[in-house]
Amino acid sequence: MSVTTRFAPSPTGRLHLGHAWSAVQAHDFAHDRGGRFLLRIEDIDGTRSRPEHVETILADLRWLGLAWDGDVVFQSQRLSLYEAALERLRAMGLLYPCFCTRADIAASTSAPHGSSGMLYPGTCRGLDAPDLSQPHCWRIDMAKAVDILPDELWWHDDIAGDVIADPLAHGDVVLARKDAPASYHLAVTIDDADQGVSHVIRGRDLFEATHVHRLLQALLNLPTPIYRHHPLLTDEKGERLAKRHGAPTLAELRESGADGLAVAASLRAGTLPVGIRVAKH
């Protein structure tokens, strides 16, 4: 089996050690097996994506000594693929427009479920004459989608083993946002299949999203990669490294004169900087 992995950051901020941890694993997994390591920039969030962050991402990966195969792929250049997938799902009668705001949803439910943290109550499902001139997203009718699939869905994770997919637990997730032509769920599923990604190596925080991705693969007749959801890096308080938590960036390390090859080697060896830990779950 030929191996293809990918690293797919969003250019909404600078990379930190948590990103490097994931990129090194995806890179090494492919290259140790004579495979390909791809770089994809997930830049369809028009309100937050910045070109300057793309340049920083490329510089950071080169500093770490990580070489990608082929050209860098940008999601913003692949919108026709996402629209085609949405049209297929519409033709199957699985999508409906949703006009709810986050405040509307928060006011109508208190159930903390699903990969987004809140299970959509289905307020807009079944509207007789939706006014598509108003701002709206597109949601999948998850119960209907699950009902048309005859077989139980599952995927294999190199750490968790065989996992039975439970997309119903995530409710009617958004597949096309009000402010973007595709959601993460749809775009990443289409991209991984189109690019021939055989092994998806990403953080444990995205494990739950795979339930939804497995459903979309089945509906759209796409292959299912092997997954490896690795543990995350955290700070000394147990908070996962994240842009919003002010994690030190690779650019800061690079600009301070740190040796990127040494940083990558320490990540491979598990010798992490003081205050950085590997999460237990």
Side-chain angles (χ1 to χ4, degrees):
M1 177 183 183
S2 60
V3 171
T4 299
T5 66
R6 48 73 165 175
F7 179 57
S10 298
T12 56
R14 292 184 167 189
L15 301 185
H16 51 67
L17 278 175
H19 294 112
W21 169 252
S22 192
V24 165
Q25 292 186 61
H27 171 274
D28 291 0
F29 187 93
H31 280 213
D32 289 350
R33 292 162 178 79
R36 298 188 306 148
F37 170 66
L38 308 180
L39 177 58
R40 184 170 73 230
I41 303 296
E42 301 192 339
D43 63 338
I44 55 175
D45 188 337
T47 61
R48 299 173 60 222
S49 295
R50 297 287 184 272
E52 59 267 28
H53 292 319
V54 175
E55 295 304 317
T56 303
I57 288 169
L58 302 183
D60 287 343
L61 294 179
R62 293 187 182 108
W63 174 71
L64 290 166
L66 304 183
W68 54 90
D69 297 289
D71 295 332
V72 180
V73 169
F74 292 83
Q75 282 189 335
S76 58
Q77 300 173 359
R78 302 165 64 79
L79 303 186
S80 61
L81 294 177
Y82 312 143
E83 183 55 37
L86 288 168
E87 284 302 319
R88 287 182 61 185
L89 295 171
R90 285 194 191 97
M92 297 165 71
L94 298 180
L95 300 187
Y96 64 88
C98 174
F99 304 86
C100 297
T101 65
R102 291 180 183 272
D104 293 333
I105 299 171
S108 61
T109 180
S110 59
H113 299 294
S115 58
S116 63
M118 186 177 297
L119 193 66
Y120 180 66
T123 307
C124 292
R125 191 190 312 124
L127 292 178
D128 290 334
D131 181 2
L132 298 184
S133 68
Q134 299 300 312
H136 61 280
C137 65
W138 289 92
R139 292 184 180 273
I140 186 168
D141 186 328
M142 192 65 78
K144 185 183 290 186
V146 169
D147 190 55
I148 69 173
L149 294 174
D151 301 320
E152 185 175 69
L153 301 178
W154 64 277
W155 80 84
H156 180 78
D157 185 283
D158 278 345
I159 296 176
D162 291 341
V163 181
I164 297 174
D166 183 18
L168 278 174
H170 298 262
D172 295 356
V173 297
V174 172
L175 295 188
R177 292 165 37 186
K178 294 179 182 179
D179 59 349
S183 70
Y184 169 76
H185 291 307
L186 182 71
V188 74
T189 302
I190 297 300
D191 288 338
D192 285 342
D194 183 69
Q195 293 187 275
V197 173
S198 64
H199 292 73
V200 173
I201 298 174
R202 61 188 182 191
R204 183 62 179 77
D205 55 324
L206 293 170
F207 183 92
E208 292 301 321
T210 312
H211 292 278
V212 176
H213 303 171
R214 183 65 189 91
L215 174 86
L216 293 175
Q217 291 159 2
L219 292 172
L220 297 169
N221 297 315
L222 302 176
T224 300
I226 295 172
Y227 290 87
R228 181 181 179 84
H229 290 94
H230 59 73
L232 303 177
L233 296 188
T234 71
D235 62 20
E236 55 191 3
K237 297 179 181 178
E239 293 279 356
R240 75 181 181 91
L241 300 186
K243 299 172 187 175
R244 67 177 180 274
H245 294 153
T249 68
L250 300 183
E252 289 169 342
L253 293 174
R254 179 161 47 85
E255 292 161 3
S256 73
D259 184 339
L261 297 181
V263 170
S266 70
L267 290 172
R268 292 184 177 101
T271 54
L272 303 174
V274 175
I276 305 297
R277 305 170 182 173
V278 178
K280 294 182 180 179
H281 303 289

